[in-house]
Amino acid sequence: MALKTETMILNMGPQHPSTHGVLRLELELDGELIVNVKPHIGYLHRCFEKHAEAMSYPQVIPYTDRMDYLASMYNNFGYVIAVEKLLGIQVPERVEYIRVIMGELQRIASHLVAIGTNGLDIGAFTPFLYLFRDREKILSLFEMTCGARLLYNYMWVGGLSHDIHPDFVRLTKEFINYFRPTITELNNLLTFNKIFIERTANIGVLPLDTAINYGVTGPSLRGSGLAFDIRKEDTYSIYDRFDFEIPVGQGLVGTVGDSWDRYYVRILEMEQSLRIIEQAIDQIPDGDVKAAIPKRIKPPKGTVYTRVENPRGELGYFIISDGNLNPFRVKVRAPSFVNLEVFGELCKGHLVADVIAILGSIDIVLGEVDR
Amino acid sequence: MKNPEEIFELLKKEFPEAILGIDKEAPTEPIILIDPPQIKTISLFLRDNPELRFDSLMVLSGVDDANGTKVKDEDGTDVISGGTLSVYYHLHSVYLKHKITLKVSTPRGNPQVESVYNVWRTSDWHEREAFDMYGIIFLNHPDLRRILMPYDWNAGYPLRKDYKNPEFYQGMKVPY
Amino acid sequence: MGLLDKEFSDGNVVIAKVDDLFNWARLSSVWQLGFGLACCAIEMMATSASHYDFDRFGVIPRNTPRQADAIIISGTVTLKMATRIKRLYEQIPDPKYIISMGSCANCGGPYWEHGYHVLKGIDRVIPVDVYVPGCPPRPEALLEGLLKLQEKIRNESLRKKTV
Ligand code: SF4
């Protein structure tokens, strides 16, 4: 007679050091193997979309900061592009260049946290400290520009809140020179560390067709081997003027699309971001940082959907305007929200300990998942 | 790569009943209007037709059109009756690189739309969110529960334009 | 042993008040419950990482409430989360302290008006010892909040209250 066995339900979170915030996972276990994962979200639902309907167009910008708080600059970026498209205005060249530089610096800062916490969850504490040290350097560049460390409210509709500091160009170049070698250091310390590879190679393999069907974007999709990047695919701002590559996962130490590939794509992306900044920083033209736009922003009736490549993937803003001062509806296509959906698929058949390695590699920000 | 008008013509030929029209005011992107019960069939066609290959759903958004009649209730706030709720689908083809927007509208009193869960798995959580925020029922969705609000939230659908916040939730005061 | 190492020739005795000794010990190792809520949690992480180094004040994140002395409520508390925070608070053994970090935890912050799912202040659910204002507070501000908490601990007394 066969013994009847039952699966066990294990609850993980919302208070758990490795869920990157307040995510609750319901794990169904067969011994140590994962049969099923059910994420429960909404513990940080801060009603962004309701606020957007109650505020005027420029007032929404600080709330976009608070969605993906690791990539605030980029959230501003996506939103102002959408509103500018709705208004049909062009921003000055100088603004475009500064926006791109800020966006790419933000991408590096965000990837540093992603990589650091991914390592930290698996047990590598030292890289976390190193990476936060480097991140502070970027934050001080931001602070010099707009006075804030984390939530900037920097990009405004039709321009920027402040011009850059006279020292900004010099310090950014210094940062680039400083940061290039630290990537190599990081590779020696963590990327090609044997323990790290053992924990992440061949873990949580995401096949390409599953990724596309689930709508996964960003480094998670590129880790699966498709060079899909909105900066090239559906180019916006002035990204078409720069020369950069789109790194994809190649299965260097395991299978294409495993956790290590997703991790490594981020490292390579930081190098590409440095390249973009290097090209842009020398070309910043002189000029004003505010376009001539009316004080009261009142777009015509209509809808617009724009998307940008946020450090986590495709960030889309769908705005419906009814011709008033407030947006009628703002829907955010949050990359983390969509990327987290596939998480259950990735975990099936792995061990409990792999859950956090996989979660770290898809890099979610709960503020954006729940909005 | 096709532009939205060509896609509209193609769909119109294939499904003369279910395609209700195309809305192309500036600065609107063209939006194809679709009959709610047919959305799944059309989605499958869009995904599987080799000329279209819409393999990814970028975003699915519920919208309260607020186009019904407003009536005042006892405490002086507006309640909307009649009119429609809508769902917008933004599709994109990774390989053919074209985009399209679909829209279905469903009566506010009894909002029901066919689920596209089996076409694009992205829609799973998006549909749950639209249900959570607007109360739109997605027929044949396998697991239509609240997603962002607590499971025991019974004060209505927060993003509807006539939503009223409750005083208390589980003994905690909600307003400021 | 640091500063005092090999400084004494004989075995020595230190005389101190029980209160002072105990309070000194407690305030120098405030172990916080390692748990972040929202944007403020990133600043909290930055505070405990290199540069600001929370560790030098004896603050170490502990991941279980049973070994923690304090919680830093770092971010927006939603209604769904509030009941969980209350549970965590109840699981911490006495004496326990709460630092409310950021405007959201203090009063709802930017979400005070239209936040239908945001608790307008954690003090509606659990008692708070120190409020740190800011959105987000700078790491220095959080450090000051911690110093304030230490001051509070320093002035506490273990004695039985007599009427
Ligand atoms: S106080 Fe500001 S930074 Fe802190 S959680 Fe609230 S919104 Fe975020």
Side-chain angles (χ1 to χ4, degrees), chain A residues 46 66 151, chain C residues 38-40 74-76 101-105 110-111 134-137:
Chain A
R46 295 191 283 190
R66 282 155 181 77
L151 309 171
Chain C
C39 354
C40 281
S74 53
T76 318
M101 178 185 184
S103 318
C104 280
Y111 304 97
C135 179

Side-chain angles (χ1 to χ4, degrees), chain A residues 19-30:
Chain A
T19 51
H20 296 225
V22 281
L23 169 68
R24 185 178 142 217
L25 299 171
E26 200 182 304
L27 310 175
E28 191 182 338
L29 304 175
D30 176 8

